[in-house]
């Protein structure tokens, strides 16, 4: 699963508790499901029936499986009616037999009715408008995690793999689609029966069904048919994704050493939105919301195009890591998501070298993981999961981005060739099965001959960030003695509690031969490296750590900044900013590194600086110091934008195109009058020409306009939103309506949540957008309208959604409000509130630490 691009790290599940310590028993296990579904899209209901072939391993009078929000009308075992009981709190269905079922194969049948939901959980609907203004409704499923039980009674846990045969009734003229190809027959009443071929054995959360007024376009990649399924009239926007998927399938077949096993691979574009996810890796039927899959060259930016490739790469990697081999239980979710995140980056770097994907991951992905891992809200990558709430909480940046970074560190340590051999061994050995993390470590150790688990456990079984300090360097006889010390990096007191890691570390002088070691030391020690000159620790930034330099080694690096490799420049800049935030280093040290960046530096460096300046500005929102930071931002970044210009040039680097987008957005948020003037001019043209804004700057220009909108301009944007029929553009405008700086306009945006001008899926989008600039207002609104808000949010993110709205607040009263809200929730559903409180506390502490340094840096006196 891939998070939505703008989703906050806020996810948890609000469903009732399901004690994982009491996971479903294994006396009865499913072999195969045969399911028939007949939806009534207009009534938002469906009927279902199924036959489950099961293996009874131990004689039993009771059979328990999962079911939620289903009205069961019939249950039989081996053809005889069986009394049943539904436990709604624990989402379980128990059959009681008159006599014990004997060991062997048995048959269970059910019939039921269920609900089609408005939000993306279980079987759900996506409402949209066609180009001619007519209304349309697409149906789709979303089962991770765990919502297959809202579709049919199932053993809805990842270790209960089985084969699925699915049949679905669709209205005349509509297209239905699932994991496997189908045979279609016309029924006497004019409807169509889609009979899909049986799947390989797989987990229940990977089953998929969709239908609607859709069209399908295909290409062949060897023996595999790759398809893109869209609403009618836009399938050509899937051409880029199809071409990318074809390249990726060849790449992955080779990398994993196991050919993709299904006859087709469909990519389905849903014209809606979710607060929880952007795409889902259903085996052979990957679901995406449209912006993650379709490339509209008249509106999309270069970064949009790159994200499509990255998301397709992520979901396709899951077809092996997650679908072919699946974690045994949600404790090891990172085996799915961390690896897919790493693979999206690796494939992007290998197939699109001009994107500098590995270096970009150092500047941005790595920082995302290190940020939350250095707070009280951290947790181990592998953590025990006992409830549905905790399953949802596992989908966070620790699982995704730290998991990605740790996998990259292991590959860097044992070498890419041996790493791939280990992955191929793992895939061959465990295909169609379930695993735990140590089984992966065992295959990597067998391939490399190195004790992978010896250091990997330190990064997966405990939270936190190691910090390596270069305390001194001494050159003698053509080599340099580097003095090192290990500690812990943290942004708050809890995250500074000392821990020890076995840290894989590469260290070298600039341009010299690196030394590689596993740092287990708790006391200072020395390492000798070849050559004399400035020393770079964590060379290439392949390791998961912060690196701090004493004054002299740091000054030597700054003096030779341009001689470092790009990844090392980006990593040093990231570390210096973080060390200032934590109080481990003076802000002036970061400022000195910033000054070392040349005007013609790699665009990634300026994109990183843009993000850091935005972070500093946010620390002092609505204060005079923010005005000074914004003025400094304009002084620093304005000349860079002037150099590359507002207009994309033929043949320019994708990094330049992305930098232009970053700079226009950042300068717009900083109040640059030239950017605002252009934004208002472009919007005036947009009312008569939908393609008036150049695609390369469309998103930041609209964001600048919306943030600075007057009441009259906001009304114009609202009118444009109501008139728009393109669902992707309409959803973009909805988000912009909630982005106004003016509090009165933000309140008007919130009032739209109560009305009927927006769909149920759009309303959380506007609420989230308001929280970006007015967190107190958004939180208070949500608490005052809690039943309405909860009805709009997927179960998988409901418990954490409202606390996350207040996470950006600087009001001293907000922590108390969030705590009071959390105390009304079950203990297992408070993870989102804990993260929000940690974010608020860290932001306040960081703002206090940096205030004097930032004041001096911006020309003020303290």
């Amino acid at each position: 699963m891939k998070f939505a691009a703008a989703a906050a790290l806020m996810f948890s599940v609000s469903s009732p508790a399901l004690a994982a310590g009491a996971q479903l028993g294994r006396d009865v296990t499913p072999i195969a499901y045969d399911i028939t579904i007949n939806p009534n899209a207009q009534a938002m209901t469906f009927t279902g029936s199924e036959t489950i072939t099961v293996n009874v391993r131990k004689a039993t009078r009771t059979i328990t499986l999962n079911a939620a929000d289903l009205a069961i009308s019939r249950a039989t075992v081996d053809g005889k009616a069986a009394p049943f009981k539904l436990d709604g709190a624990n989402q379980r269905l128990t059959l009681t037999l008159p006599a014990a079922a004997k060991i062997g194969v048995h048959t269970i049948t059910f019939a039921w009715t269920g609900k089609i939901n408005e939000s993306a959980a279980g079987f759900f609907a996506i409402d949209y408008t066609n180009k001619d203004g007519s209304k349309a409704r697409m149906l789709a499923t979303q089962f991770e995690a765990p919502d297959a039980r809202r579709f049919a009674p199932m053993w809805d846990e990842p270790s209960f793999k089985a084969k699925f045969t699915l049949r679905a009734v669709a209205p005349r003229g509509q297209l239905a689609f699932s994991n496997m190809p189908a045979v279609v027959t016309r029924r006497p009443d004019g409807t169509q029966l889609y009979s899909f071929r049986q799947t390989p054995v797989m987990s229940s959360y990977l089953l998929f069904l969709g239908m609607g007024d859709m069209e399908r376009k295909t290409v062949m990649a060897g023996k595999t048919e790759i398809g893109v399924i869209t609403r009618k009239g836009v399938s050509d926007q899937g051409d880029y994704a199809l071409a990318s998927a074809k390249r990726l399938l060849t790449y992955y077949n080779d990398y994993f050493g196991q050919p993709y096993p299904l006859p087709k691979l469909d990519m389905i574009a849903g014209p809606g939105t979710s607060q929880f996810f952007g795409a889902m890796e259903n085996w052979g039927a990957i679901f995406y919301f449209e912006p993650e899959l379709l490339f509209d060259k008249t509106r999309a930016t270069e970064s949009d195009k790159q994200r499509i490739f990255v998301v397709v790469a992520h979901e396709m990697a899951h077809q092996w890591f997650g679908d072919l081999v699946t974690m045994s239980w949600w404790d090891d979710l990172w085996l799915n998501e961390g690896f897919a995140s790493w693979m999206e980056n690796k494939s992007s770097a290998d197939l699109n070298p001009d994107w500098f994907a590995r270096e970009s991951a150092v500047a941005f992905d790595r920082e995302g993981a290190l940020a939350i891992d250095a707070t009280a809200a951290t947790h181990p990558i592998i953590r025990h999961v006992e409830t549905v709430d905790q399953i949802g909480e596992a989908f966070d940046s620790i699982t995704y981005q730290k998991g990605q970074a740790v996998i990259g560190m292991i590959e860097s340590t044992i070498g890419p060739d041996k790493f791939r051999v280990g992955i191929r061994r793992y895939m061959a050995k465990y295909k169609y099965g379930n695993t735990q993390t140590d089984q992966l470590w065992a295959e990597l150790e067998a391939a490399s001959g190195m004790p992978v688990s010896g250091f990997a456990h330190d990064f997966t079984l405990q939270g936190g960030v190691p910090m390596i300090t270069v305390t001194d360097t001494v050159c003698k006889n053509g080599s340099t003695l580097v003095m090192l010390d290990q500690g812990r990096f943290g942004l708050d007191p809890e995250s500074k509690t000392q821990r020890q890691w076995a840290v894989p570390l590469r260290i070298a002088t600039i341009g010299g031969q690196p030394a590689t070691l596993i740092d287990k030391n708790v006391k200072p020690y020395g390492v000798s490296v070849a050559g004399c000159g400035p020393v770079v620790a964590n060379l290439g930034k392949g390791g998961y750590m912060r690196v701090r330099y004493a004054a002299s080694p740091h000054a030597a690096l700054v003096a030779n900044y341009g001689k470092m490799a790009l990844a090392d420049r980006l990593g040093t800049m990231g570390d210096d900013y973080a060390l200032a935030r934590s109080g481990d280093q003076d802000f002036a040290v970061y400022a000195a590194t910033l000054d070392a960046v040349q005007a013609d530096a790699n665009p990634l460096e300026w994109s990183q600086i843009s993000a850091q300046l935005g972070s500093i500005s946010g620390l002092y929102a609505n204060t005079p110091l923010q005005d000074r930071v914004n003025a400094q931002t304009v002084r620093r970044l304005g000349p860079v934008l002037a150099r590359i210009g507002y207009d994309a040039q033929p043949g320019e680097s994708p990094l330049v195109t992305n930098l232009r987008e970053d700079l226009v957005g950042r300068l717009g948020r900083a109040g640059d009058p030239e950017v605002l003037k252009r934004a208002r001019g472009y919007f005036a043209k947009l009312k008569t020409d939908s393609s008036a804004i150049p695609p390369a700057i469309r998103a930041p220009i609209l964001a600048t306009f919306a943030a600075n909108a007057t009441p009259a301009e906001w009304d114009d944007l609202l009118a444009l939103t109501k008139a728009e029929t393109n669902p992707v553009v309409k959803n973009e405008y909805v988000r912009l309506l909630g982005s106004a700086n003016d509090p009165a306009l933000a309140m008007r945006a919130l009032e739209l949540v109560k009305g009927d001008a927006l769909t149920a899926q759009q309303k959380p989008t506007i609420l989230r957008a308001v929280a970006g600039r007015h967190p107190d207002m958004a939180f208070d609104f949500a608490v005052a309208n809690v039943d309405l808000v909860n009805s709009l949010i997927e179960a998988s993110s409901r418990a954490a959604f409202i606390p996350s709205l207040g996470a950006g607040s600087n009001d001293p009263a907000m922590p108390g409000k969030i705590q009071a809200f959390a105390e009304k929730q079950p203990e297992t559903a408070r993870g989102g509130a804990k993260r929000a409180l940690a974010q608020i506390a860290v932001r306040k502490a960081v703002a206090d630490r940096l205030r004097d340094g930032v004041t001096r840096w911006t020309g003020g006196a303290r």
Side-chain angles (χ1 to χ4, degrees):
M1 183 187 292
K2 187 71 174 176
F3 285 147
L9 299 175
M10 59 175 192
F11 311 107
S12 71
V13 178
S14 63
S15 306
L18 275 183
Q23 293 172 30
L24 292 173
R26 304 198 71 86
D27 291 346
V28 181
T29 58
I31 298 171
Y33 298 86
D34 192 325
I35 304 172
T36 299
I37 298 294
N38 190 345
N40 183 333
Q42 184 174 1
M44 296 288 281
T45 61
F46 68 98
T47 60
S49 61
E50 72 178 343
T51 299
I52 312 175
T53 304
V54 300
N55 180 22
V56 175
R57 299 179 174 184
K58 179 181 178 181
T60 179
R61 285 195 59 197
T62 60
I63 299 174
T64 300
L65 63 163
N66 296 114
D69 297 334
L70 302 177
I72 310 294
S73 58
R74 185 188 77 241
T76 71
V77 177
D78 294 332
K80 297 180 180 179
F84 61 88
K85 181 179 180 181
L86 279 165
D87 179 357
N90 289 309
Q91 300 178 348
R92 290 183 176 180
L93 169 62
T94 299
L95 303 174
T96 303
L97 311 183
K102 297 180 179 179
I103 294 174
V105 176
H106 297 262
T107 301
I108 304 173
T109 69
F110 292 105
W112 67 91
T113 58
K115 299 185 297 183
I116 298 174
N117 298 311
E118 289 186 301
S119 59
F123 203 11
F124 70 99
I126 303 174
D127 292 336
Y128 62 98
T129 303
N130 290 313
K131 289 182 178 180
D132 62 4
S134 61
K135 302 296 183 181
R137 174 170 287 169
M138 175 188 175
L139 301 182
T141 57
Q142 168 59 27
F143 293 157
E144 189 182 33
D147 284 323
R149 63 194 65 179
R150 302 180 192 278
F151 184 72
M154 294 186 194
W155 278 260
D156 193 19
E157 295 178 3
S159 65
F160 288 99
K161 287 195 168 186
K163 296 181 178 180
F164 291 82
T165 300
L166 182 62
R167 296 176 180 84
V169 178
R172 178 186 299 173
Q174 286 199 1
L175 181 67
F177 31 95
S178 184
N179 307 79
M180 298 290 285
V183 173
V184 186
T185 56
R186 180 69 59 84
R187 305 205 314 170
D189 62 358
T191 59
Q192 307 168 96
L193 179 64
Y194 280 78
S195 300
F196 298 97
R197 285 165 52 181
Q198 189 179 62
T199 70
V201 291
M202 67 181 193
S203 300
S204 56
Y205 76 90
L206 298 172
L207 184 65
F208 178 81
L209 174 65
M211 67 177 63
D213 293 318
M214 317 290 284
E215 60 188 19
R216 183 170 183 260
K217 188 173 186 177
T218 65
V219 297
M220 293 299 297
K223 297 180 179 180
T224 305
E225 182 180 73
I226 304 176
V228 63
I229 298 173
T230 72
R231 55 189 167 90
K232 290 183 176 179
V234 297
S235 61
D236 286 350
Q237 293 180 19
D239 287 349
Y240 176 67
L242 277 175
S244 299
K246 184 174 182 176
R247 297 174 69 203
L248 285 161
L249 191 65
T250 301
Y251 180 89
Y252 286 158
N253 280 338
D254 174 67
Y255 188 87
F256 292 118
Q258 296 290 325
Y260 176 74
L262 276 62
K264 62 94 176 174
L265 174 60
D266 277 329
M267 300 183 289
I268 299 112
T273 185
S274 166
Q275 291 299 302
F276 182 42
F277 73 104
M280 173 63 204
E281 65 266 20
N282 315 297
W283 211 2
I286 305 172
F287 178 84
Y288 304 78
F289 287 107
E290 282 193 11
E292 313 287 11
L293 185 68
L294 303 186
F295 180 65
D296 181 354
K297 62 183 180 181
T298 67
R299 293 184 175 91
T301 64
E302 172 66 23
S303 66
D304 292 332
K305 185 177 182 180
Q306 290 184 16
R307 180 169 173 84
I308 289 169
F309 185 96
V310 165
V311 175
V312 170
H314 182 103
E315 301 306 329
M316 285 184 63
H318 273 311
Q319 305 300 290
W320 287 264
F321 247 96
D323 297 3
L324 183 62
V325 182
T326 312
M327 75 267 156
S328 294
W329 181 246
W330 302 102
D331 293 21
D332 288 295
L333 175 66
W334 89 284
L335 283 175
N336 287 14
E337 300 301 347
F339 198 92
S341 297
W342 177 78
M343 204 71 207
E344 78 186 32
N345 181 265
K346 183 175 182 67
S347 60
S348 295
D350 289 346
L351 298 178
N352 303 288
D354 58 342
W355 292 1
F356 288 77
R358 289 188 179 92
E359 291 82 359
S360 181
V362 170
F364 301 109
D365 296 349
R366 182 182 91 117
E367 292 300 320
L370 291 167
I372 191 172
D373 204 16
T375 72
T378 191
H379 59 80
I381 288 178
I382 302 169
R383 58 174 175 173
H384 186 50
V385 170
E386 292 192 349
T387 66
V388 175
D389 303 280
Q390 292 168 343
I391 293 172
E393 287 183 4
F395 289 86
D396 67 2
S397 66
I398 299 292
T399 296
Y400 282 72
Q401 292 168 306
K402 183 176 180 180
Q404 168 188 347
V406 169
I407 290 168
M409 178 177 68
I410 294 170
E411 187 206 33
S412 176
T413 302
I414 69 176
D417 293 338
K418 292 179 180 179
F419 183 85
R420 185 171 65 172
V421 170
I423 294 301
R424 287 177 171 178
R425 288 173 56 99
Y426 176 82
M427 284 290 156
K429 188 172 184 177
Y430 297 111
K431 60 184 176 182
Y432 302 109
N434 297 88
T435 62
Q436 297 175 341
T437 298
D438 279 344
Q439 290 166 287
L440 174 60
W441 298 158
E443 299 309 313
L444 292 174
E445 288 179 342
S448 67
M450 294 184 65
V452 173
S453 61
F455 62 84
H457 281 163
D458 287 355
F459 289 88
T460 56
L461 299 180
Q462 64 179 356
V465 181
M467 180 169 66
I468 302 298
T469 300
V470 178
T471 59
D472 196 10
T473 59
V474 180
C475 177
K476 186 176 182 180
N477 299 327
S479 64
T480 300
L481 178 65
V482 185
M483 300 303 298
L484 301 172
D485 195 8
Q486 183 187 132
R488 183 179 179 185
F489 172 80
L491 294 169
D492 53 27
E494 185 172 336
S495 64
K496 290 179 179 289
T497 303
Q498 285 304 305
R499 288 179 179 169
Q500 184 180 358
W501 290 263
V503 181
L505 179 64
R506 297 176 72 237
I507 187 166
T509 57
I510 293 178
Q513 186 67 27
T516 302
L517 64 145
I518 306 293
D519 174 18
K520 302 179 182 179
N521 293 275
V522 293
K523 296 181 179 179
Y525 64 103
V527 174
S528 182
V529 298
C532 289
V535 169
V536 180
N538 193 18
L539 191 68
K541 299 303 175 276
Y544 186 78
M545 69 196 79
R546 291 290 185 198
V547 176
R548 178 178 61 175
Y549 297 88
S552 179
H554 189 276
L557 278 184
V558 170
N560 293 271
Y561 191 77
K563 296 179 181 179
M564 285 193 289
L566 176 59
D568 291 315
R569 298 199 302 272
L570 293 166
T572 300
M573 181 71 73
D575 284 343
D576 280 354
Y577 179 55
L579 291 164
R581 286 168 53 86
S582 68
D584 290 298
Q585 199 163 267
D586 193 86
F587 184 84
V589 177
Y590 162 72
T593 307
L594 186 64
D595 288 341
V597 179
Q598 300 299 305
D600 60 350
N602 186 287
L604 271 177
E605 295 177 79
W606 283 111
S607 289
Q608 181 185 40
I609 291 169
S610 173
Q612 291 171 345
L613 294 178
S615 169
I616 296 170
S617 175
L619 292 173
Y620 306 106
N622 303 314
T623 70
L625 186 52
Q626 183 182 43
D627 295 337
R628 290 201 292 271
V629 173
N630 286 343
Q632 179 80 294
T633 298
V634 174
R635 287 195 298 271
R636 293 265 178 171
L637 301 184
V640 182
L641 179 57
R643 181 172 59 83
I644 65 174
Y646 281 84
D647 299 321
Q649 301 301 313
E652 72 180 12
S653 164
L655 298 185
V656 172
T657 310
N658 288 341
L659 175 60
R660 179 181 295 107
E661 183 183 350
D662 289 340
L663 294 176
V664 171
R666 182 66 58 210
L667 290 167
R669 286 188 288 275
D672 188 316
E674 175 61 22
V675 176
L676 179 55
K677 177 183 176 182
R678 286 176 180 262
R680 287 188 162 129
Y682 275 125
F683 186 83
K685 297 176 183 177
L686 192 66
K687 289 186 281 187
T688 56
D689 179 4
S690 62
S691 60
I693 307 176
I697 58 172
R698 176 185 170 86
I701 283 291
L702 285 174
T704 299
F705 173 83
N708 295 280
T710 65
E713 289 169 338
W714 192 89
D715 286 336
D716 288 341
L717 180 58
L718 178 61
L720 202 64
T721 304
K722 291 179 176 179
E724 182 59 57
T725 59
N726 183 316
V728 174
V729 178
K730 193 179 189 77
N731 290 336
E732 177 187 30
Y733 290 164
V734 168
R735 178 180 54 80
L736 292 171
L737 284 169
S739 302
N741 292 327
D742 185 337
L745 297 180
M747 184 54 71
R748 288 184 62 188
L750 290 176
E751 290 302 316
L752 293 174
V753 177
K754 296 181 178 180
D756 57 6
L758 306 180
T759 68
Q761 293 175 12
Q762 290 168 341
K763 290 177 179 180
T765 298
I766 203 167
L767 186 51
R768 167 66 56 200
V770 171
R773 286 178 167 81
H774 307 279
D776 302 279
M777 183 188 298
F779 179 86
D780 291 345
F781 175 90
V783 171
N785 298 276
V786 64
D787 292 338
L788 169 62
V789 172
N790 280 340
S791 72
L792 302 171
I793 305 299
E794 297 102 316
S796 54
S797 54
R798 190 174 296 152
F801 181 80
I802 291 177
S804 74
L805 296 176
S809 172
N810 291 331
D811 185 345
M814 181 55 72
K817 292 181 181 180
I818 293 176
Q819 186 63 43
F821 180 84
E823 288 173 355
K824 298 177 183 178
Q825 312 303 316
E827 181 69 32
T828 55
R830 297 178 185 176
K834 180 181 178 181
R835 283 193 296 277
L837 292 171
Q839 289 175 42
I840 292 172
V842 164
R843 190 172 56 254
K844 181 181 185 304
V846 169
D848 290 343
R849 286 186 196 121
L850 297 188
R851 185 169 282 106
D852 287 352
V854 171
T855 299
R856 288 190 292 269
W857 179 64
T858 57
R862 291 290 293 183

